[in-house]
Amino acid sequence: METTNSIGTYLIEKLYQNGAHHVFGVPGDFVLGFNKLLEDSQIEFINTCDEQGAGFAADAYARLKGLGAVCITYSVGGLKIANTTAQAFAEKSPVVVISGSPGTNERIKNPLLHHKIRNFDTQYNIFKELTVASTVLDNPKTAFEEIDRVLAAAKRYKRPVYIEIPRDMVNKPGNIDYSLDLQPQVSNPEALAEVLREAANKINAAKQPVILAGVEMHRFGLQEELLKLVEKTNIPIAETLLGKSTISEMHPNYIGIYEGAMGNKFTREYVESSDCLIMLGTFLSDVNLGIFTANLEPKYSIYVTSEKTSVGFHSYDEVYLKDFVLGSLKANIHPRELNVPNDFKPPRDFSVISGKPITIARLFECLNSFLSKDTIVIADVGDALFAGSELFVYDKTRFLSPAYYASLGFAVPASIGAQFANSSVRPLVLVGDGAFQMTGMELSTIVRYGLNPIVIVLNNGGYGTERPILDGAFNDILLWKYSRIPEVLGAGLGFDIQTEDELETALLQSQTHSESFCILDIHLDPEDTSPALKRLSRALGERVQN
Amino acid sequence: METTNSIGTYLIEKLYQNGAHHVFGVPGDFVLGFNKLLEDSQIEFINTCDEQGAGFAADAYARLKGLGAVCITYSVGGLKIANTTAQAFAEKSPVVVISGSPGTNERIKNPLLHHKIRNFDTQYNIFKELTVASTVLDNPKTAFEEIDRVLAAAKRYKRPVYIEIPRDMVNKPGNIDYSLDLQPQVSNPEALAEVLREAANKINAAKQPVILAGVEMHRFGLQEELLKLVEKTNIPIAETLLGKSTISEMHPNYIGIYEGAMGNKFTREYVESSDCLIMLGTFLSDVNLGIFTANLEPKYSIYVTSEKTSVGFHSYDEVYLKDFVLGSLKANIHPRELNVPNDFKPPRDFSVISGKPITIARLFECLNSFLSKDTIVIADVGDALFAGSELFVYDKTRFLSPAYYASLGFAVPASIGAQFANSSVRPLVLVGDGAFQMTGMELSTIVRYGLNPIVIVLNNGGYGTERPILDGAFNDILLWKYSRIPEVLGAGLGFDIQTEDELETALLQSQTHSESFCILDIHLDPEDTSPALKRLSRALGERVQN
């Protein structure tokens, strides 16, 4: 059995070199050989309960480390992560999907092998829809080159890729003797110079310029450069919901999350009255724009992403986000006085009213005072996200959420990926009860690997985001006793919380209980939603009926 | 708002007429309008915790009722059931996937709406790979016709179909004024007559004919006709694993599950020494054929399915399973003496050895004595299935399992679908601990709707099927205290079982505890696997390495 320079070994080396030091997944017979190679390598394989959990964990890992990987078996594993891969595609998270598959020698005569769907290519065809590059490593002559090509695409486009290894190829030697002409994405220098001149003039001439930073600042690792730009120019900075935490939100220039009619009034008015809106790496999605309630004037905007650059109504070809941001640090943009009200800062002290039933608003005030430099907030879809958007986090990329694709069930498994990506943080997981019932039992994985998130379950007995749109029994869910889950898993600390003092006690105990997870079952009135969610639901409701 | 004769109402009527009296799913904003229509209709909507559970439940329902339906939202719901739909495709289960989606009026200018992946057709493109017919109901003029066309395909091919409803189409009136030319699948009468003559002659001339009945006997509802054929001719009948329970396994002509080297010796020798093997509705898959260890002589075979008919080495076009089975009841096949040993019957009395640790073999002996006419056995993948194959069930279609596609996590949610399809049965769920950790918390749905399966968790601390192939830490899972789950869900009865007497006590208590589910945590030695699994794993192991 040749393993040195084998296709499997080469893939593992390349994953490790690119930052994927952990791979998440569930084994299966078509991928066992590769699992064994992984076990013997410097990469740690993390077993989740269900493949869905592995997919979300890998996505979170990718958002923090620049590359994530999920390794599953053919069809019964692969198709379980179609949804998590779709989310990584939609929200630009570079996840490598590695799937085992039947050996090339088993496919002759097209037999009915277990896990086969329509034909042996069905899974591959599906993942072509969900990735920016894909390959089946069925030829040792080209396998190494294919691995390089596909991983390069993940890193360039910050989107998922698909690598399928027929099980008889894992230990086959590959051919290292090739040259792959991977052209880096570099802006046209003259076009870049022109747009930088135009942007600098526009910014310098403006009375109220503002930066609106988006998700690509995280994905392209431009947080430090963004901070330099802010400090060099003193321009205030707002963020989109998906882009939240591009810089520390304790920074004096930070003015909040802009999300159209969903967001807070101060941020909205400041951004919408700007005469020079500098949008950097921002997705113009419905959620980011408050279901298109945003009122942003194109004529006042400078819009730069990895895909498109425009100033006012004209566009520049071949000008890319990273080059623009780096260039702007050297451009002739004048520093200015900071004139935003300094009272836009979090309430850091929280005084408990003993015996008072807890509300969403008071819960998030309390959480704001509880955050520290070591906290990474991971918000699931629903009020966990909308109320969570008003937390002030202490450092860059300390807030993760699926704020565009919006797949319920992200947060608990994402906390696994986040903590493996950065072992110095402790996740604060915000999750609705509906989302928790989808993937919350990945707490099992958390116990197995000794992780310690604090999980806040917003328990309002159903899909709270949907009730204001259109209600019915279909929005109800069973009431679980979430605080009893530690008894099933044999570890963890559970709290059943009705009042403000119970909340404070539980949070203090959770801080000291760092050896395993804590779960706080926060009983909320089903009618109690955050102001942001109320505004969003109203906007969505208008679109349900024709 | 026009709802009479609306597209949504029409779809609901057609689902109900075709037997889908329950629809399984999870709501979401793009499907809420249709959910509301469902709630106001005679169909009952069953909320599961996660869409995966709904997909498996609908699959089980379809296997019992001839049509199942799952209703989910766009992308974040739809892609979560890519895998369950693939299983329905692979194992021929007619599941209707109904997905809400953005309104046609919202898609103009291709905005970044939440849940969108690459473009608005991404989900549709994926489901085209997983279904036999698919449609997007974006045109009121053709919507009714499209619904009829797609549902007809599900019923004809017994495979899943996909119906997407943009949310602004739900309440739009459709156009009833059309004619759809749906040709029924009818055999060529002359070809049918010829194959029936040839088959009858071959059978009559044979010394040891045997029927090998497969999954299509369930899917095409031919169980009663099969029983008549057996009783008319007195030919012994074996079944494939996927086809298990085509007739009562207490029938004197039943000789067991044929699965090559995996199966029991008597059945294997009887089938392989047959000089006339009548395969009816049988998939020649690797699992059914004991990973191709089967030794069946084509020259002795009569092979009839909905797709292909052959005798010896020649094939007949335009001869279909149903016509062949009905025709065979009138064909000149002579009755014969039944000469199979009558000791091939289940051990119906089980004597407990007090304090003796329970083993897989003894567990299934005990379960065999516990089965009754009201039991439907639902086996998940792994030893739950392989050991379960040797249970003797009392009636037709009283054993469900994903014995070809083999997706872990089927059994618990499938029991939901099974009990809604037939409220007179009580499911006995056989599930490994690995599979349970994927979908077992759908017990929540079971509690919510007052169902009462008895769930047997084969707890051996990991993926027992994989250990004999290639072992490593990746085959381990966390030990849950499964018997404590009732404390989280607020209902159900849990048992922690180490010995034979504890097993017997728990089963007796479960029989009387019919108001909710029971869960039996059966602690097994990780090395203890059924003989069938040992044989299978050995066969699979030879194929992992090249």
Side-chain angles (χ1 to χ4, degrees), chain A residues 186-460:
Chain A
V186 178
S187 300
N188 177 320
E190 290 178 282
L192 179 63
E194 184 175 311
V195 70
L196 284 167
R197 269 196 310 275
E198 188 186 1
N201 289 339
K202 198 173 174 94
I203 295 167
N204 290 337
K207 284 188 190 146
Q208 190 178 311
V210 63
I211 292 169
L212 181 58
V215 66
E216 286 195 339
M217 303 309 285
H218 300 276
R219 302 300 190 260
F220 288 86
L222 296 169
Q223 304 100 325
E224 294 295 340
E225 287 71 20
L226 177 66
L227 180 62
K228 282 184 197 153
L229 180 64
V230 166
E231 301 204 323
K232 168 192 164 184
T233 61
N234 230 354
I235 297 172
I237 174 171
E239 296 170 329
T240 64
L241 190 52
L242 186 61
K244 185 169 165 64
S245 76
T246 53
I247 65 167
S248 165
E249 294 171 351
M250 311 306 284
H251 196 282
N253 290 47
Y254 175 67
I255 61 162
I257 303 295
Y258 174 74
E259 40 184 347
M262 276 199 297
N264 79 70
K265 189 159 169 278
F266 162 72
T267 310
R268 182 182 194 189
E269 288 178 357
Y270 197 94
V271 169
E272 294 189 352
S273 63
S274 168
D275 55 348
C276 183
L277 179 63
I278 308 154
M279 290 188 276
L280 298 176
T282 304
F283 279 11
L284 297 178
S285 72
D286 60 349
V287 178
N288 276 344
L289 299 180
I291 313 301
F292 301 126
T293 54
N295 183 16
L296 303 175
E297 285 274 14
K299 71 180 169 191
Y300 294 133
S301 79
I302 298 166
Y303 180 76
V304 189
T305 70
S306 68
E307 295 171 13
K308 183 181 166 146
T309 292
S310 57
V311 178
F313 287 96
H314 55 282
S315 297
Y316 289 82
D317 288 338
E318 296 182 66
V319 171
Y320 305 110
L321 178 67
K322 187 168 189 172
D323 297 325
F324 181 90
V325 173
L326 293 173
S328 69
L329 292 177
K330 297 179 199 150
N332 182 29
I333 304 173
H334 306 154
R336 56 180 65 224
E337 290 292 305
L338 182 67
N339 65 345
V340 293
N342 62 6
D343 60 346
F344 181 70
K345 288 294 158 242
R348 281 289 159 190
D349 52 329
F350 178 78
S351 303
V352 156
I353 304 170
S354 210
K356 192 179 175 214
I358 190 73
T359 64
I360 289 251
R362 291 283 288 171
L363 168 67
F364 280 85
E365 277 177 43
C366 180
L367 291 175
N368 237 333
S369 72
F370 176 75
L371 298 185
S372 76
K373 286 186 191 306
D374 301 327
T375 310
I376 183 165
V377 176
I378 304 180
D380 215 301
V381 180
D383 227 1
L385 174 59
F386 302 122
S389 71
E390 297 186 334
L391 295 176
F392 287 72
V393 300
Y394 277 80
D395 202 355
K396 61 180 191 294
T397 313
R398 288 293 170 83
F399 188 93
L400 293 185
S401 80
Y404 167 53
Y405 185 70
S407 184
L408 283 168
F410 171 75
V412 172
S415 76
I416 299 166
Q419 215 165 8
F420 277 114
N422 182 355
S423 61
S424 70
V425 295
R426 187 169 192 190
L428 179 74
V429 174
L430 309 173
V431 56
D433 49 356
F436 187 89
Q437 291 191 6
M438 291 176 172
T439 59
M441 292 307 281
E442 290 292 353
L443 285 172
S444 172
T445 308
I446 283 163
V447 171
R448 176 168 176 183
Y449 293 99
L451 308 177
N452 64 356
I454 298 169
V455 179
I456 308 290
V457 181
L458 306 181
N459 178 358
N460 57 8

Side-chain angles (χ1 to χ4, degrees), chain B residues 126 284 502:
Chain B
I126 286 171
L284 297 178
E502 287 168 358

Side-chain angles (χ1 to χ4, degrees), chain B residues 174-408:
Chain B
N175 176 11
I176 199 66
D177 191 22
Y178 66 91
S179 66
L180 186 62
D181 187 23
L182 290 173
Q183 296 289 345
Q185 190 182 50
V186 178
S187 300
N188 176 320
E190 291 179 281
L192 178 63
E194 184 175 312
V195 69
L196 284 167
R197 270 196 309 275
E198 188 186 3
N201 290 339
K202 198 174 176 94
I203 294 167
N204 290 338
K207 284 188 189 147
Q208 190 177 309
V210 63
I211 293 169
L212 181 58
V215 65
E216 285 194 340
M217 304 308 286
H218 300 276
R219 302 300 190 260
F220 287 87
L222 295 169
Q223 304 101 325
E224 294 295 341
E225 287 72 19
L226 177 66
L227 180 61
K228 283 185 195 151
L229 181 64
V230 166
E231 301 204 324
K232 168 191 164 185
T233 62
N234 230 356
I235 297 172
I237 175 172
E239 296 170 329
T240 64
L241 189 53
L242 187 61
K244 185 170 165 62
S245 76
T246 54
I247 64 168
S248 165
E249 294 171 352
M250 310 307 284
H251 197 281
N253 289 48
Y254 176 66
I255 61 161
I257 302 296
Y258 175 75
E259 39 182 349
M262 274 200 297
N264 79 70
K265 190 160 167 278
F266 163 72
T267 311
R268 183 183 193 186
E269 287 178 358
Y270 197 95
V271 169
E272 294 190 353
S273 63
S274 167
D275 55 351
C276 183
L277 178 63
I278 308 154
M279 290 189 276
L280 298 176
T282 305
F283 279 12
L284 297 178
S285 73
D286 59 350
V287 178
N288 276 344
L289 298 179
I291 313 302
F292 300 127
T293 54
N295 184 16
L296 302 175
E297 284 274 13
K299 70 179 168 190
Y300 295 133
S301 78
I302 298 167
Y303 180 75
V304 189
T305 69
S306 67
E307 295 171 15
K308 183 182 166 142
T309 292
S310 57
V311 179
F313 287 97
H314 55 280
S315 296
Y316 288 82
D317 287 338
E318 294 181 67
V319 171
Y320 304 111
L321 178 68
K322 186 167 190 173
D323 297 326
F324 181 90
V325 173
L326 292 174
S328 70
L329 292 176
K330 295 180 201 148
N332 182 29
I333 304 173
H334 306 156
R336 56 180 66 224
E337 291 291 307
L338 182 67
N339 65 345
V340 293
N342 61 8
D343 60 346
F344 182 70
K345 288 293 157 243
R348 281 289 160 190
D349 52 330
F350 178 77
S351 304
V352 156
I353 304 170
S354 209
K356 190 177 175 216
I358 191 74
T359 64
I360 289 253
R362 291 284 287 171
L363 169 66
F364 280 84
E365 277 177 42
C366 180
L367 291 175
N368 237 333
S369 72
F370 175 73
L371 297 185
S372 78
K373 288 188 191 302
D374 301 327
T375 310
I376 183 166
V377 176
I378 305 180
D380 215 300
V381 180
D383 227 1
L385 174 59
F386 301 121
S389 72
E390 297 186 333
L391 295 176
F392 288 72
V393 300
Y394 277 81
D395 203 355
K396 61 180 192 293
T397 314
R398 288 291 170 85
F399 187 93
L400 293 184
S401 80
Y404 166 53
Y405 185 70
S407 184
L408 284 167

